[in-house]
Amino acid sequence: MSATATLATAEKIRNIAIIAHVDHGKTTLVDCLLQQAGTYRENQAVPERAMDSMDLEREKGITIKAKNTAIQWNGYTINIVDTPGHADFGAEVERVMKMVDGVLLLTDAVGGPQAQTRWVLRKALGHGLKTICVINKVDRETSRADWVHDKVLELFLDLEASEDQFNAPFLYASAKNGWADNKLDGPRENMTDLFETIVEHVPAPQVEEGEFRMLVSNIDWDDFVGRLAIGRILSGTVSNGDTIYALRKNGERQRIKITKLIRFTGLGVTPVETMGAGDIVGIAGFEEIDIGDTLAAEKEAEPMPFVTIDPATIEMEFHVNDGPLAGKDGKKVTSRQIRERLIRETKSNISIQVRDTDEGTRFLVAARGAMQIAVLLETMRREGYEVMASRPTVLYKEIDGTTCEPYEQVWVEVPEDMLGSVMENLSNRKAQITNMEHHAAGVTVEAEISTRGLIGFESDLVTLTSGHGVCSHMFLEYRPRSGEIVTRQTGTLVSMETGTSMPYSLDIIQARGKLFVAPGEDIYNGQIVGECPRKEDLPVNPCKAKHLDNMRSSGNDKNVQLAPPIRFSLERAIEYIAADELVEVTPHHLRLRKRILDSEMRRKITKRMKRD
C-alpha cells in the first residue's frame, strides 16, 4: 500500500476516548452509538451495557478495564475507547491517551463535573487532545444543564486550557433515550449531531513517514493465538505474516512473526490481512509483550516513550492461606501459584506493582486504591485461588528529611438532613473542609484528607446516608504525616475454639455484640465471629453445644432467635480489619481472622507492647 493510499485511509479515521466520572453514562452512550451506527442486525438481541464484558463490571455497574470498539458511520471509521470512571483505575485512562486524537467528556446534568472528570480532563488537555463536551441526562427533572455548562467552562479555565481547547463544542444528550443535540431544546431524535461533531471536530490521526511503528497501549487475550498487543499504528503498514521487532522496555529486541492481525468492529473483532497508519489494531504472535513496548519493522528503530503513570499510594499484603480450613475451598493455594498470578496481573495492569518479601509466603501489592486491589482479589477468588489479605496501608515518602504521606481531594454529595453525621465522620478522620455548596440535590462538601484517613470512608458513607451519599476523590500531593487516625471505634469477638457454630452459644454471644457468622458454619480458633462495642477484643466460644440432662429437653432450643449475621463485601472487609487482622479470601467464603491465631501468644504480645 502506498503512502498516499495510507494517508487517504487515515483521513476517514477518527480515534476518540470517552472519559467521565463513574456512573455518568459512558457505557450507555457507547451502546447507543453502536445501535444507531447499524452495528447490530435488525433481529439481533442487544445486550444492555454491552461494553461491560467482565462479570464484575456488570455486577458493580462500573467500567474496570479500558476496551476498544469501532463503528462505521457515513464512510468513516470511528474507533472508540471506553475508559473506567473510578479514580482507582486511572492508569487505564492514562495509557489510552496515546491511542486517540480526541476525547468525549461526558458530564452528568445534575451532579456536574466530579473529581474524576477533573483528573481525566487534565490528562487529556496535557496531551493536546481535542475535546467534545456532552452533558448527559438532561431529560431528568433535576437537570441543571446551564449550570453544568458553566462549571465545565470553569474547569477548563482552572486547568489552563488553550483557547482552542476552551472553545470545545457542547452537546446535550440522553444516552438512555438515544439522542444528542447541539442545542438544549433540540429535536431529541437521534445521535446524528454527535456523529457529525466527532467527524468535524476530532482531527484525523497524524501519519508519520517511514516503516511500520506502533506503541503497545493495551493487552488482550485470544483463545487461539494467545496475547494480543493493541495500539495505534503511527507509520507504515503491517500485514499478517510479516516479521517485525518488539523493542522491550528492558532494552531487548525480539524478532516476531505476526500470526494474526485484527481490527475492532462493533462488539467483536475481524481478522484482516493489512492495516495502515492511523488505525487501531490488535497483533498476535508473541510469547511475551508488555504495555509500553514498541513494535517496529526495523530492528534499529527507536523505542517510543510511554505515558508517565501516577504513582501507587497504598499497599497490601497477600499471604498464603495458613488457617485450619486452608485448601478446603480453593484449588490454587500455593505461594508459587499466587505469585505467578500476581506477576501476570502486572503485565496487563501497569498501575499494580508486586514485591517479594523475605518470607516466601508473603507478597506486597501496591496500587492506586483499595478498590483496585479488591477487584484483583475478587477476580482471583473466582479463578479458584485462596489467599489472605491485610488492611491497606499508605506508602510513605521521605521528602527533605520529613516523612510524608499521600493526601487526596475528596468531594462528598449528601442529602442535607444527613450532613451532620458525615461531617463528624470526616472530622474524626482529620479532613480539612475547603468548600461547601448547597443545591437542589443536597450538599456537596469539598475536603482535603490523607489517604490513610480516607480508607474505609466510602463504606461508612453508605451506612450513614442509607446509600444516598456519593463520594469521589483524586490524588492531591504528598504532605507531612498527620497524627494518629482511628477509623474503627469497636473491638471484635474472637473465637477461642475450633468446630461448628451452635445456635445455643451464638444466642449468648449476640448479647455482647453483633454476629458475623450463622449457625452451622465451620469456625476456628482466632477467627473473628462478631463485633464488640468496646474497643478491646473479647474471646468467645461459638462452638459450645447445650448439654442435656433430665431437667432440659432438646426441644427448648427451638426458642433461640438469632439476629441475621452481618455479611461483608470484600471491599468492606479489607477496610474494616485492623492492622493485626487479615481477611481469608476463598472462592465461596470470606472470613475475618487474627494474624496470630493462638490466643495465648496474642495475649503475651499485647502485654509486652504495653510494657514497652
Side-chain angles (χ1 to χ4, degrees):
M1 190 184 290
S2 68
T4 312
T6 306
L7 196 58
T9 308
E11 284 296 325
K12 289 286 186 178
I13 295 172
R14 299 292 183 269
N15 298 321
I16 61 166
I18 298 188
I19 57 175
H21 187 78
V22 65
D23 203 32
H24 280 199
K26 295 182 308 302
T27 309
T28 308
L29 181 69
V30 175
D31 280 358
C32 193
L33 293 174
L34 287 166
Q35 179 100 35
Q36 295 196 20
T39 303
Y40 305 115
R41 301 186 311 272
E42 281 186 27
N43 63 343
Q44 187 172 347
V46 180
E48 190 179 341
R49 289 188 292 116
M51 290 295 283
D52 284 349
S53 53
M54 294 168 62
D55 290 342
L56 269 176
E57 290 179 322
R58 292 189 171 280
E59 288 167 25
K60 291 178 177 291
I62 61 171
T63 303
I64 294 170
K65 291 278 188 188
K67 298 175 204 67
N68 297 71
T69 187
I71 54 181
Q72 305 295 325
W73 184 81
N74 279 8
Y76 286 88
T77 297
I78 302 175
N79 290 310
I80 300 174
V81 186
D82 185 19
T83 63
H86 197 285
D88 284 12
F89 308 106
E92 296 287 316
V93 181
E94 288 173 280
R95 61 187 168 81
V96 302
M97 293 296 179
K98 287 277 188 181
M99 278 201 286
V100 297
D101 305 289
V103 290
L104 224 61
L105 178 69
L106 203 63
T107 314
D108 189 291
V110 179
Q114 301 279 326
Q116 183 73 353
T117 320
R118 171 183 292 270
W119 184 83
V120 289
L121 183 60
R122 181 191 292 147
K123 294 287 180 187
L125 296 177
H127 282 79
L129 301 178
K130 291 277 190 177
T131 308
I132 297 170
C133 302
V134 179
I135 299 176
N136 193 27
K137 306 182 184 180
V138 296
D139 55 319
R140 289 170 65 181
E141 284 182 17
T142 51
S143 164
R144 41 183 184 163
D146 291 335
W147 176 84
V148 172
H149 178 278
D150 293 343
K151 284 290 179 186
V152 173
L153 290 180
E154 283 177 25
L155 188 55
F156 274 103
L157 285 173
D158 287 350
L159 299 177
E160 299 176 355
S162 66
E163 188 177 345
D164 183 48
Q165 289 171 329
F166 183 78
N167 293 324
F170 274 80
L171 289 98
Y172 303 89
S174 169
K176 188 177 178 182
N177 295 318
W179 51 263
D181 297 322
N182 290 321
K183 296 178 180 176
L184 185 54
D185 56 353
R188 301 191 171 188
E189 291 172 354
N190 53 41
M191 288 278 174
T192 303
D193 281 1
L194 181 54
F195 282 122
E196 289 175 350
T197 307
I198 292 170
V199 169
E200 290 168 15
H201 194 72
V202 177
Q206 286 187 344
V207 175
E208 297 178 7
E209 292 295 321
E211 295 292 317
F212 164 73
R213 280 202 315 157
M214 181 183 111
L215 182 68
V216 180
S217 300
N218 207 350
I219 297 284
D220 206 349
W221 182 264
D222 185 289
D223 289 337
F224 298 103
V225 291
R227 292 173 85 80
L228 280 169
I230 298 168
R232 188 177 90 187
I233 302 174
L234 291 180
S235 61
T237 60
V238 64
S239 300
N240 196 9
D242 280 359
T243 298
I244 59 171
Y245 292 89
L247 316 179
R248 311 296 302 278
K249 286 181 286 187
N250 60 8
E252 289 181 25
R253 294 173 183 261
Q254 296 175 344
R255 193 167 178 266
I256 306 293
K257 183 172 181 180
I258 297 174
T259 55
K260 190 174 185 179
L261 206 60
I262 61 149
R263 75 178 305 164
F264 296 91
T265 51
L267 296 181
V269 295
T270 306
V272 289
E273 285 304 310
T274 303
M275 290 285 273
D279 222 337
I280 293 175
V281 63
I283 299 175
F286 314 92
E287 280 187 24
E288 283 291 321
I289 192 75
D290 293 331
I291 291 167
D293 289 349
T294 300
L295 303 182
E298 297 171 350
K299 188 176 182 179
E300 304 308 318
E302 279 293 311
M304 287 177 280
F306 191 54
V307 63
T308 307
I309 302 295
D310 283 350
T313 53
I314 69 150
E315 187 173 69
M316 273 171 62
E317 298 173 26
F318 278 40
H319 296 247
V320 170
N321 188 5
D322 61 0
L325 302 176
K328 291 191 174 182
D329 192 21
K331 294 178 181 175
K332 299 170 183 174
V333 296
T334 66
S335 59
R336 181 182 58 81
Q337 289 170 318
I338 292 168
R339 186 180 185 279
E340 284 176 357
R341 177 63 182 83
L342 292 174
I343 297 299
R344 194 165 79 241
E345 184 68 20
T346 62
K347 301 287 187 185
S348 60
N349 192 338
I350 48 177
S351 62
I352 282 186
Q353 297 150 20
V354 176
R355 286 192 294 129
D356 293 325
T357 64
D358 296 339
E359 303 166 47
T361 57
R362 188 168 69 97
F363 310 99
L364 298 176
V365 181
R368 285 280 186 80
M371 187 178 184
Q372 189 179 22
I373 300 186
V375 165
L376 170 58
L377 271 171
E378 184 64 45
T379 307
M380 287 176 68
R381 76 186 289 212
R382 294 181 185 205
E383 293 170 0
Y385 287 87
E386 279 192 17
V387 69
M388 293 193 304
S390 71
R391 177 181 171 84
T393 55
V394 300
L395 293 167
Y396 294 102
K397 267 187 183 179
E398 199 76 21
I399 301 174
D400 298 331
T402 307
T403 302
C404 297
E405 65 177 329
Y407 268 72
E408 311 220 6
Q409 193 145 12
V410 61
W411 287 261
V412 186
E413 198 170 297
V414 293
E416 201 152 345
D417 57 334
M418 300 171 179
L419 180 62
S421 55
V422 173
M423 292 288 281
E424 185 183 352
N425 193 287
L426 284 169
S427 174
N428 292 338
R429 294 167 178 274
K430 300 195 174 175
Q432 296 177 332
I433 309 300
T434 54
N435 190 27
M436 194 181 297
E437 188 178 325
H438 293 257
H439 48 76
V443 184
T444 300
V445 179
E446 192 175 323
E448 293 174 1
I449 185 171
S450 67
T451 304
R452 193 161 44 98
L454 192 61
I455 293 170
F457 173 70
E458 291 187 58
S459 301
D460 283 358
L461 183 66
V462 170
T463 308
L464 293 170
T465 63
S466 304
H468 291 95
V470 178
C471 171
S472 53
H473 57 93
M474 68 179 235
F475 174 74
L476 192 61
E477 62 185 353
Y478 270 84
R479 291 182 185 173
R481 186 183 188 276
S482 59
E484 200 61 37
I485 297 173
V486 179
T487 56
R488 193 174 89 187
Q489 305 293 333
T490 58
T492 55
L493 303 172
V494 186
S495 173
M496 53 185 183
E497 289 291 333
T498 299
T500 304
S501 54
M502 294 292 178
Y504 168 73
S505 51
L506 292 180
D507 186 37
I508 298 169
I509 292 169
Q510 75 174 354
R512 300 180 179 186
K514 298 173 183 175
L515 291 174
F516 296 165
V517 295
E521 291 187 20
D522 290 331
I523 305 290
Y524 54 81
N525 180 16
Q527 183 178 335
I528 297 169
V529 296
E531 182 179 83
C532 174
R534 291 184 294 179
K535 282 196 176 182
E536 64 265 19
D537 295 334
L538 190 66
V540 294
N541 182 1
C543 306
K544 186 179 178 182
K546 182 177 180 182
H547 296 291
L548 305 180
D549 55 27
N550 59 355
M551 298 297 290
R552 296 174 179 167
S553 68
S554 60
N556 286 350
D557 261 358
K558 292 176 182 174
N559 296 327
V560 171
Q561 289 189 340
L562 295 172
I566 296 170
R567 299 296 189 191
F568 288 99
S569 67
L570 187 49
E571 292 100 317
R572 180 71 180 119
I574 60 177
E575 290 175 343
Y576 176 83
I577 56 174
D580 66 335
E581 296 164 359
L582 296 168
V583 181
E584 183 182 323
V585 183
T586 73
H588 300 102
H589 300 283
L590 284 179
R591 298 184 184 94
L592 309 188
R593 51 160 280 181
K594 289 291 181 180
R595 280 178 186 264
I596 299 168
L597 296 178
D598 185 77
S599 56
E600 190 61 30
M601 198 180 294
R602 285 202 308 274
R603 192 178 63 78
K604 286 179 182 175
I605 291 171
T606 307
K607 200 172 179 182
R608 194 185 309 134
M609 286 173 69
K610 283 182 180 177
R611 191 174 65 243
D612 293 344

